[in-house]
């Protein structure tokens, strides 16, 4: 198992073109997430939270600064190498589970592993195990429309874990859910972060869940405060 820090952002600045000038979405951001650590990212709308996750996910290259994933500086990697790094090391969970409508829950997980070129039988066993972890073993053969919003988000979480990532990036996972289901999803993210020893960064507008996290960092106008320890 790797002992490198799963995720480090060092002095990361991200500028988007904006008319004749630029919008600074991230302004010299520093963030480190360790294995088994759940970091909450809070802050007003437009402050740069999603930009931070996209940059950490290597979906967007920073204008300046470094993004290190599992110790590897991503700046020197070609797009093809970044895609491989993302597939092998990063799990991404966005607000709306982007599930394929014609596939059952277990198939959603298997196809993600198929893309990694893994053995189909092993993938099926791992998928079944992960659906069990997220409390959905009874829903394994259901299609997305047969599942509730909370159950779909559980499939999403299980799918993100299929490739044994070192980093989980989660953007407002509870935005579409009621209070009870939101609490259950954040509780599950807490559990899998510990159990799978991943470094999780979770954007949340709901400060109520901060006690379940290890640290909370606040974004404001593209700047990030140093993470402070949370109650959990
Ligand atoms: P948050 O997730 O905290 O609401 P975002 O990261 O989405 O914030 O946005 C941060 C800033 O970057 C905002 O000013 C937003 O308008 C701008 N922004 C985000 N995405 C883009 C984009 N693809 N192109 C141009 N500007 C963007
Ligand atoms: Mg956002």
């Amino acid at each position: 198992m790797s002992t490198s820090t799963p995720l480090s952002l060092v002095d990361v600045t991200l500028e988007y073109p904006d008319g004749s000038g630029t919008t600074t979405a991230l302004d010299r951001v520093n963030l480190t997430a360790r294995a088994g650590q759940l970091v909450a990212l809070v802050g007003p709308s437009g402050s740069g939270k999603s930009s931070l996750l996209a940059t950490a996910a290597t979906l967007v290259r920073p204008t300046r600064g470094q993004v290190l994933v599992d110790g590897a500086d991503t700046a020197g990697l070609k797009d093809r190498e970044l895609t491989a790094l993302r597939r092998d090391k990063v799990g991404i969970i966005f607000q709306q589970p982007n599930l394929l409508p014609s596939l059952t829950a277990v198939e959603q997980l298997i196809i993600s592993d198929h893309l990694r070129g893994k053995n189909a039988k092993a993938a099926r066993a791992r998928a079944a195990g992960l659906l069990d972890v997220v409390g959905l073993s009874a829903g394994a053969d259901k299609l997305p429309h047969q599942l509730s919003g909370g159950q779909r988000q559980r499939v999403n979480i299980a799918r993100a874990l299929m490739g044994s990532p070192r980093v989980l990036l989660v953007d407002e996972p509870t935005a579409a859910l009621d209070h009870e289901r939101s609490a259950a999803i954040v509780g599950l993210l807490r559990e899998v972060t510990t159990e799978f020893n991943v470094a999780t960064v979770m954007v949340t507008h709901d400060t109520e869940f901060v006690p379940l996290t290890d640290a909370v960092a606040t974004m404001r106008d593209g700047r990030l405060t140093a993470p402070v320890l949370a109650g959990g």
Side-chain angles (χ1 to χ4, degrees):
M1 189 198 270
S2 174
T3 54
S4 302
T5 303
L7 178 68
S8 291
L9 275 65
V10 183
D11 278 331
V12 165
T13 292
L14 175 66
E15 293 167 351
Y16 291 113
D18 177 16
S20 54
T22 55
T23 295
T24 303
L26 300 175
D27 185 4
R28 288 163 289 159
V29 163
N30 288 286
L31 180 69
T32 294
R34 296 187 183 4
Q37 195 182 31
L38 175 57
V39 179
L41 196 58
V42 301
S45 178
S47 60
K49 304 180 301 295
S50 293
S51 297
L52 190 157
L53 289 194
T55 308
T58 76
L59 293 166
V60 173
R61 290 184 189 263
T63 312
R64 287 182 290 283
Q66 285 179 298
V67 177
L68 294 101
V69 176
D70 197 18
D73 185 350
T74 58
L77 301 181
K78 300 187 178 74
D79 286 349
R80 178 173 42 81
E81 295 167 322
L82 275 188
T83 304
L85 179 85
R86 203 180 302 128
R87 192 188 56 208
D88 294 340
K89 311 274 180 167
V90 183
I92 301 175
I93 299 169
F94 290 148
Q95 190 176 115
Q96 297 291 347
N98 194 13
L99 302 177
L100 297 162
S102 62
L103 296 186
T104 66
V106 74
E107 288 166 350
Q108 311 276 349
L109 274 59
I110 291 169
I111 197 162
S112 76
D113 227 49
H114 185 67
L115 300 173
R116 294 183 183 89
K118 299 257 179 69
N119 168 291
K121 200 170 168 190
R124 183 162 287 272
R126 178 163 175 80
L130 283 170
L131 288 175
D132 196 31
V133 167
V134 301
L136 212 63
S137 36
D141 296 320
K142 291 194 173 158
L143 295 167
H145 79 267
Q146 297 171 313
L147 299 169
S148 70
Q151 289 173 324
R152 283 197 290 270
Q153 195 56 291
R154 288 169 189 273
V155 176
N156 202 16
I157 293 168
R159 182 176 57 180
L161 292 166
M162 265 307 269
S164 308
R166 300 216 66 219
V167 181
L168 270 188
L169 301 169
V170 195
D171 202 351
E172 306 224 20
T174 65
L177 303 178
D178 65 25
H179 179 267
E180 196 179 328
R181 291 199 171 97
S182 297
I185 290 294
V186 177
L188 177 61
L189 286 165
R190 167 74 271 174
E191 266 175 54
V192 301
T193 296
T194 304
E195 181 171 342
F196 295 90
N197 207 31
V198 288
T200 302
V201 181
M202 175 180 72
V203 170
T204 179
H205 58 276
D206 210 333
T207 49
E208 179 194 344
F209 299 127
V210 164
L212 286 173
T213 68
D214 297 306
V216 56
T218 306
M219 294 269 344
R220 203 169 290 277
D221 296 331
R223 310 214 58 180
L224 188 71
T225 63
V228 296
L229 292 183

